[in-house]
Amino acid sequence: MQNEQPKIDFFRVREPGEKITATIDFLRENRRWWLRCCVLPLVPLSAVLGWLQVPQSTVNTIYHFFWDHFDMGELLFGFTFKNRGLFSADMLVTALALLMLFTSTGALMSLYQYREGRLRGLTWTELRGALRRSLPAAAIITLVAYFLFYFFCSANPLLQLLLLAVFIPFALYAPTSQVGYYPPLRAAGHSLDLGFNTWGGIFMVSAGLALILFFLRGASETLMELLDAYLSDLFFSGNISLEINNIIYCVAAALKSFVSLACLSVMMIGAGYQYGHAEEKYSSVSLYEDVRHFDEI
């Protein structure tokens, strides 16, 4: 008997707007598993990141936040490694959070594509197996993104544009390995081939999703900046202690990190639909899937 096909199949040629719609539909249909597996497990690491971002001095924190943290990496990704050591604590915690995020999101996408009944009735045993299969690709993309992002935040604007040209096609690596089931090393070459052939499509999908998510992420960033200014005034006027100031700042910074990570998960799902579009366009994957299912009947 033929397996029930995904309601929102990855392997289908779509226009950029249809890929964004498919991403939103995927999240709407699988919101419970997405929250339980991809987003909520990041709360503890977001709390640690919030604590690590608390200013270590009594200098006016609004200037500390703006001048030391705000840059192009902050604007595009919600994170920055500017003025950080290569192996600083917040960088390593961010890398661990990204590893968890890439692993869990890739596992959900592969289960949704190939599992009979999609994610309905999914058990934790099945999920653990999918997480193990997803981990190697997630580890590779985390490692590469770690160093690329570090150099991106430390580079001049011209070099940042060149690094973005690498970031964009490399965005297809995780879904190529996790949804396409390519071995990790072979997936690197294949994803870059698909990425450079569909560079414009990746850019349009990424820009469209980023614009939608910008308002969500921007709300947390605006809250942090306004709270930062308000706390600074209260602290220097003697109305609150340094400890209370830091606790509230920590919560706001943790919320900002949490929202940024959740937005990256959404971007990864969008990259999965871009990968499926490219694979279908150049390899006609669904045709071979139909032949395989016909042979199974």
Side-chain angles (χ1 to χ4, degrees):
M1 180 177 179
Q2 180 176 340
N3 289 347
E4 181 182 354
Q5 292 301 298
K7 179 181 178 182
I8 316 164
D9 191 3
F10 282 94
F11 297 108
R12 185 181 303 170
V13 175
R14 292 181 170 93
E15 296 298 324
E18 294 175 326
K19 297 167 197 170
I20 295 174
T21 301
T23 302
I24 296 172
D25 289 341
F26 178 94
L27 291 169
R28 183 183 297 117
E29 180 180 342
N30 306 296
R31 58 187 178 277
R32 291 183 180 178
W33 278 109
W34 179 68
L35 289 172
R36 292 166 66 183
C37 300
C38 303
V39 178
L40 294 181
L42 297 172
V43 170
L45 290 177
S46 298
V48 174
L49 285 172
W51 177 74
L52 290 172
Q53 292 179 45
V54 173
Q56 299 302 311
S57 69
T58 58
V59 177
N60 191 326
T61 54
I62 187 170
Y63 295 109
H64 180 284
F65 174 77
F66 186 85
W67 292 111
D68 286 355
H69 292 271
F70 185 82
D71 65 335
M72 186 61 70
E74 183 79 21
L75 177 64
L76 294 176
F77 307 106
F79 296 97
T80 183
F81 294 158
K82 186 178 180 181
N83 299 329
R84 314 285 179 86
L86 182 58
F87 298 106
S88 60
D90 48 356
M91 282 189 63
L92 293 174
V93 174
T94 301
L96 179 58
L98 292 177
L99 177 63
M100 292 175 58
L101 185 70
F102 293 147
T103 302
S104 57
T105 305
L108 278 192
M109 289 193 295
S110 64
L111 285 168
Y112 183 82
Q113 177 65 28
Y114 298 110
R115 183 179 176 274
E116 183 176 0
R118 303 190 294 273
L119 300 184
R120 291 198 300 270
L122 179 65
T123 65
W124 288 105
T125 301
E126 292 175 296
L127 179 61
R128 283 196 298 270
L131 290 172
R132 285 195 296 269
R133 291 191 299 270
S134 178
L135 181 58
I140 291 174
I141 194 172
T142 299
L143 184 64
V144 174
Y146 184 91
F147 288 100
L148 278 179
F149 193 48
Y150 173 78
F151 291 117
F152 179 87
C153 291
S154 305
N156 59 52
L158 179 60
L159 185 56
Q160 286 181 337
L161 292 176
L162 294 177
L163 288 174
L164 274 179
V166 177
F167 267 128
I168 289 177
F170 190 70
L172 297 188
Y173 175 78
T176 300
S177 180
Q178 296 166 328
V179 180
Y181 281 172
Y182 282 85
L185 293 180
R186 186 182 170 196
H190 188 62
S191 63
L192 289 176
D193 182 45
L194 293 176
F196 283 112
N197 282 327
T198 60
W199 194 95
I202 301 174
F203 178 80
M204 293 182 68
V205 172
S206 300
L209 285 173
L211 185 61
I212 295 172
L213 297 172
F214 177 80
F215 295 99
L216 179 62
R217 204 184 74 198
S220 64
E221 293 177 352
T222 301
L223 172 64
M224 186 174 180
E225 292 186 23
L226 292 175
L227 186 61
D228 199 10
Y230 181 68
L231 290 177
S232 298
D233 292 338
L234 288 180
F235 173 73
F236 284 105
S237 64
N239 291 324
I240 62 171
S241 66
L242 178 62
E243 291 74 16
I244 299 299
N245 176 87
N246 287 347
I247 290 173
I248 301 176
Y249 187 94
C250 174
V251 172
L255 175 63
K256 175 177 172 293
S257 298
F258 179 75
V259 172
S260 297
L261 288 168
C263 290
L264 283 177
S265 179
V266 177
M267 297 292 288
M268 183 177 173
I269 295 170
Y273 280 103
Q274 175 63 33
Y275 159 72
H277 161 86
E279 194 72 89
E280 177 67 14
K281 182 176 180 179
Y282 291 102
S283 305
S284 299
V285 170
S286 63
L287 174 63
Y288 295 106
E289 286 294 305
D290 290 341
V291 172
R292 182 176 66 84
H293 287 313
F294 179 79
D295 291 339
E296 291 174 353
I297 298 176

